[in-house]
Amino acid sequence: MTLPALELRHVSKTYPLKTGGGFFPRYSDLHAVRDVSLILPQNKILGLVGESGSGKSTTGMMALRLIEPTSGTVLVGGTDITALDHAALKPFRRKLQVVFQDSYSALDPMMTLAQIVAEPLHIHAEGSPREQTEQALAWLDRVGLDRSYGSRYPHELSGGQRQRIAIARALILRPTVLVADEPTSALDVSVKAQIINLLQDLQAEMGLSILFISHDLSVVRSLTDTVAVMFNGRIVEQAATEAIFTDARHGYTRSLLDAIPALNPRDRRQRQFLTREQIEASTPRLAARDLAHPATPSDIPQLVAVAADHRVEAIVTP
Amino acid sequence: MRLLDVQNLTVSFAQHEGVVQAVRGMTLHVDAGESLGIVGESGSGKSVTCMAALRLLREPPARITADRLTLGGTDVLKARGADLARLRGRVAAMIFQDPMTAFDPSFTIGHQIVETILAHRPAAKSAVRTEAQALLTRVEIKNASAVLNSYPHQLSGGMLQRAMIAMALSCRPQILFADEPTTALDVTIQAQILQLIKEVQAEFGMGLVMVTHDLGVVAETVDRVLVMYGGKAMEQGPVQAIFDAPAHPYTRALLASIPGRTSGRQRLVEIRGASPNPANPPTGCPFHPRCALADARCAAEMPPFQSIGPGRDAACWRPQ
């Protein structure tokens, strides 16, 4: 069996939250991410969906160790990188790259596009300066920009073009894992399709694994192989993408799907909206014998397997 | 009755580099109780069209011309001072994309709604405050009295957009402009806000102009659609007709590029190239450099925006 490109095991992040006390403040814990386990297989795209505050971006940043997990383990190609120091982490940094939502603030306005794309090669001391520039220009071409763009600056580009630059910079070191945090959310419809296609093509050509973080379920359906749904810092459901869209089990997944706008005016409908409390109260109750893998009956919701590749948070009854 | 009647509207901005033409000859109308969706990408001129209709652009640098531009029967371009103030609020109201910047951070929500009402009609402050609370309750804010005393930063984006809708409704406008009202919101909140806008539109009998780049929002909310590109109208018609049989190549491409239409991982239909530069628009049809059907005539001459069927217009030499 091949090792997963990226694996998170029981990863949590808590932040101290000031709850009063004035000069001698008192703190309680804010659980941004609770006990998240994820497997990103090689050469696959995993969608991580949820709303603002669900913890999906925090999870992505912990996978990159841009945010340090409070507990849990991050494995890259089977190696535990959770406790590595800065120097030991560096070889793994090149395997893990990232593209952010806001391409404007992600690119240094004082650098030319060729310098921006070549910078990772420079940091990892790969090739001579001439080779670095040549490779950067080749990457401009590969992401659909003319090589002549190399001497331009970020402010001269549109949002879609800047996102192409961010993708070129992320992929020039030939990483095994790309974390893409809402890379298309700030883009226009026609440009969004271009960027999604570019990611599809590069993923296939490079055998890349992508953790695709998004709140846009329509994009997730077109792009990903599997989906994990986050709610209140937890994963509440995970399955093959089509299973999520056709056989969602958790109330929160269903309410997310129900909120997708109609694709045709004919399908307009009146919607019933659930509050967070109603969603928490609607946790499915499953009998232990109906599960694909054994689980201990408990009143506390747990993530259980209802099919080989389909996990859902449920209360397990005897 | 024509609530909004716009004929041959142009809006340009004087910049250092030259004149930027944001809107280049738009014709549109909205009748009482009707909803119009204006769809377009960044820079297509959809927001500027609405801002011009309410004279919310600073002039100069903006320069607005039109053969006709009326709101509720009043000539917007001739309106001054008190007339303009009456138009904004009592005839037409607007809600914006980012509710966080649309409210003043240093005053409570209640203060700002009360101020809006009192600006348009004299009344006792306590009575107006009760009215404001009723409006907040109407937009499904549960703890309306607490929200009245809240500052904008204390509320979520969805809650603020509800308060913004309440403020827009406070002077009972005849027409509501909503400029990307849900773009900054989460998907479940978006669905709730769209449903709320539809409800209050019906309840108050308002005309609605919904500006958006999202065809899903259009499919959910409006009666009629106007597709804009490069500062011009490309196509207009009843929403169902446009979705069933788009006539303009740009509309067809936009509809085809919506992700998630079918199951399974797939490449999407993309529109190659980029939107036109408004400082230097292409000759002829603005879409011709990206259009698969374009020929020499499309590059040379802008097609007229003309009728192609009952209630439908398109600007294309080769409508389908």
Side-chain angles (χ1 to χ4, degrees):
Chain A
M1 202 186 97
T2 51
L3 290 162
L6 174 72
E7 186 176 356
L8 303 182
R9 285 187 195 156
H10 307 291
V11 171
S12 296
K13 180 72 190 176
T14 48
Y15 290 101
L17 185 70
K18 198 171 162 185
T19 49
F23 195 71
F24 298 102
R26 282 191 298 274
Y27 293 95
S28 64
D29 284 342
L30 174 78
H31 297 273
V33 174
R34 277 185 232 221
D35 194 20
V36 162
S37 295
L38 277 178
I39 290 179
L40 174 59
Q42 286 179 25
N43 203 8
K44 294 284 183 196
I45 304 184
L46 166 63
L48 192 56
V49 304
E51 296 181 87
S52 320
S54 62
K56 58 189 194 301
S57 287
T58 306
T59 303
M61 295 309 106
M62 286 196 287
L64 295 159
R65 273 197 62 195
L66 291 178
I67 291 176
E68 296 294 344
T70 310
S71 62
T73 336
V74 180
L75 297 103
V76 174
T79 312
D80 182 354
I81 64 157
T82 328
L84 297 182
D85 64 23
H86 190 76
L89 192 60
K90 197 170 172 185
F92 292 95
R93 288 263 188 238
R94 58 179 302 154
K95 292 189 174 187
L96 291 169
Q97 292 290 324
V98 61
V99 174
F100 296 101
Q101 172 173 351
D102 181 3
S103 59
Y104 195 76
S105 55
L107 304 179
D108 187 333
M110 306 291 278
M111 289 166 75
T112 66
L113 301 182
Q115 286 171 334
I116 289 170
V117 176
E119 195 181 18
L121 296 174
H122 177 69
I123 291 169
H124 288 272
E126 200 175 288
S128 67
R130 185 187 296 269
E131 284 163 355
Q132 290 170 0
T133 307
E134 181 47 41
Q135 218 182 322
L137 294 177
W139 263 98
L140 288 184
D141 200 33
R142 197 162 174 188
V143 295
L145 290 172
D146 195 83
R147 293 168 72 99
S148 66
Y149 276 71
S151 53
R152 296 201 192 183
Y153 289 86
H155 75 266
E156 297 177 65
L157 303 186
S158 67
Q161 289 173 324
R162 279 198 302 269
Q163 208 55 290
R164 289 175 191 270
I165 294 293
I167 291 170
R169 176 178 64 182
L171 298 184
I172 197 166
L173 288 166
R174 298 171 306 280
T176 53
V177 174
L178 178 68
V179 175
D181 190 358
E182 305 262 17
T184 60
S185 301
L187 302 177
D188 268 320
V189 204
S190 68
V191 180
K192 188 184 282 190
Q194 293 175 356
I195 297 297
I196 290 164
N197 284 346
L198 178 66
L199 283 173
Q200 299 253 37
D201 294 346
L202 291 168
Q203 188 268 333
E205 285 166 34
M206 302 173 71
L208 196 62
S209 307
I210 303 180
L211 181 62
F212 188 82
I213 301 168
S214 180
H215 69 275
D216 187 337
L217 285 149
S218 310
V219 169
V220 164
R221 187 173 200 179
S222 306
L223 183 66
T224 64
D225 299 295
T226 55
V227 174
V229 180
M230 286 192 75
F231 175 67
N232 267 356
R234 292 135 33 208
I235 289 181
V236 292
E237 188 156 9
Q238 188 180 10
T241 301
E242 271 317 292
I244 289 285
F245 280 87
T246 54
D247 187 25
R249 305 290 181 92
H250 197 276
Y252 181 65
T253 313
R254 291 210 195 110
S255 74
L256 269 188
L257 293 171
D258 185 53
I260 300 176
L263 289 176
N264 192 299
R266 204 174 283 122
D267 304 327
R268 277 182 196 177
R269 61 192 186 278
Q270 192 74 20
R271 293 177 166 85
Q272 297 298 321
F273 299 107
L274 301 179
T275 63
R276 293 181 91 78
E277 293 71 29
Q278 285 169 323
I279 289 168
E280 294 280 12
S282 73
T283 304
R285 303 178 75 86
L286 300 171
R289 64 178 177 282
D290 294 337
L291 301 178
H293 296 298
T296 318
S298 164
D299 286 339
I300 300 162
Q302 51 183 314
L303 206 53
V304 294
V306 288
D309 311 322
H310 195 155
R311 297 192 296 161
V312 63
E313 191 183 78
I315 293 168
V316 179
T317 57
Chain B
M1 189 193 117
R2 287 275 139 104
L3 283 178
L4 173 66
D5 194 352
V6 179
Q7 275 165 34
N8 196 24
L9 171 74
T10 70
V11 184
S12 55
F13 296 90
Q15 305 276 357
H16 279 297
E17 306 80 34
V19 175
V20 173
Q21 296 182 308
V23 179
R24 303 188 289 154
M26 284 288 298
T27 294
L28 64 105
H29 69 270
V30 177
D31 292 334
E34 186 197 32
S35 56
L36 173 73
I38 303 184
V39 188
E41 300 182 71
S42 320
S44 62
K46 56 191 193 303
S47 294
V48 173
T49 300
C50 294
M51 302 283 270
L54 282 165
R55 290 278 298 279
L56 290 175
L57 300 166
R58 190 182 294 275
E59 302 164 60
R63 202 177 108 78
I64 306 171
T65 68
D67 294 346
R68 187 177 171 79
L69 177 53
T70 63
L71 254 182
T74 308
D75 188 332
V76 178
L77 291 180
K78 291 214 180 80
R80 292 282 176 276
D83 282 343
L84 211 46
R86 192 186 62 84
L87 280 179
R88 300 170 181 149
R90 288 188 44 195
V91 177
M94 189 157 182
I95 48 182
F96 297 92
Q97 175 173 343
D98 184 358
M100 200 55 109
T101 55
F103 277 105
D104 187 326
S106 35
F107 295 95
T108 63
I109 301 293
H111 178 97
Q112 296 185 57
I113 298 179
V114 167
E115 183 187 35
T116 306
I117 299 175
L118 289 179
H120 288 280
R121 107 181 101 87
K125 207 167 179 178
S126 60
V128 173
R129 215 174 153 78
T130 314
E131 206 179 318
Q133 186 169 337
L135 280 164
L136 289 178
T137 308
R138 172 60 198 94
V139 296
E140 289 152 24
I141 290 179
K142 288 197 183 65
N143 45 349
S145 59
V147 169
L148 272 185
N149 293 314
S150 300
Y151 288 89
H153 75 270
Q154 295 173 304
L155 303 178
S156 67
M159 198 77 117
L160 275 179
Q161 201 57 292
R162 287 176 193 278
M164 180 61 60
I165 293 169
M167 188 148 99
L169 296 176
S170 66
C171 297
R172 308 259 155 183
Q174 295 167 281
I175 181 167
L176 179 67
F177 290 83
D179 189 357
E180 304 263 14
T182 59
T183 306
L185 305 177
D186 267 322
V187 51
T188 54
I189 309 296
Q190 158 168 307
Q192 293 174 20
I193 296 291
L194 291 180
Q195 194 152 307
L196 176 65
I197 290 175
K198 276 195 287 185
E199 279 171 22
V200 298
Q201 189 220 346
E203 191 178 315
F204 287 68
M206 293 181 296
L208 173 69
V209 178
M210 176 72 80
V211 176
T212 181
H213 68 276
D214 187 341
L215 286 158
V217 170
V218 166
E220 282 287 341
T221 51
V222 301
D223 306 325
R224 211 150 50 77
V225 190
L226 175 73
V227 181
M228 282 190 76
Y229 188 83
K232 289 177 181 282
M234 296 285 106
E235 179 164 13
Q236 183 276 131
V239 64
Q240 190 66 61
I242 299 267
F243 272 76
D244 286 344
H248 197 285
Y250 177 60
T251 317
R252 281 206 303 283
L254 267 188
L255 284 167
S257 68
I258 301 179
R261 288 164 71 90
T262 48
S263 58
R265 247 185 89 174
Q266 64 202 288
R267 279 182 65 88
L268 299 170
V269 178
E270 58 182 73
I271 309 177
R272 304 219 165 256
S275 301
N277 175 359
N280 185 19
T283 56
C285 170
F287 188 58
H288 89 263
R290 304 173 79 183
C291 181
L293 302 176
D295 58 17
R297 189 185 192 189
C298 302
E301 209 181 331
M302 176 65 198
F305 190 60
Q306 61 190 13
S307 175
I308 54 157
R312 292 189 64 175
D313 305 278
C316 184
W317 294 119
R318 310 167 139 197
Q320 300 286 302

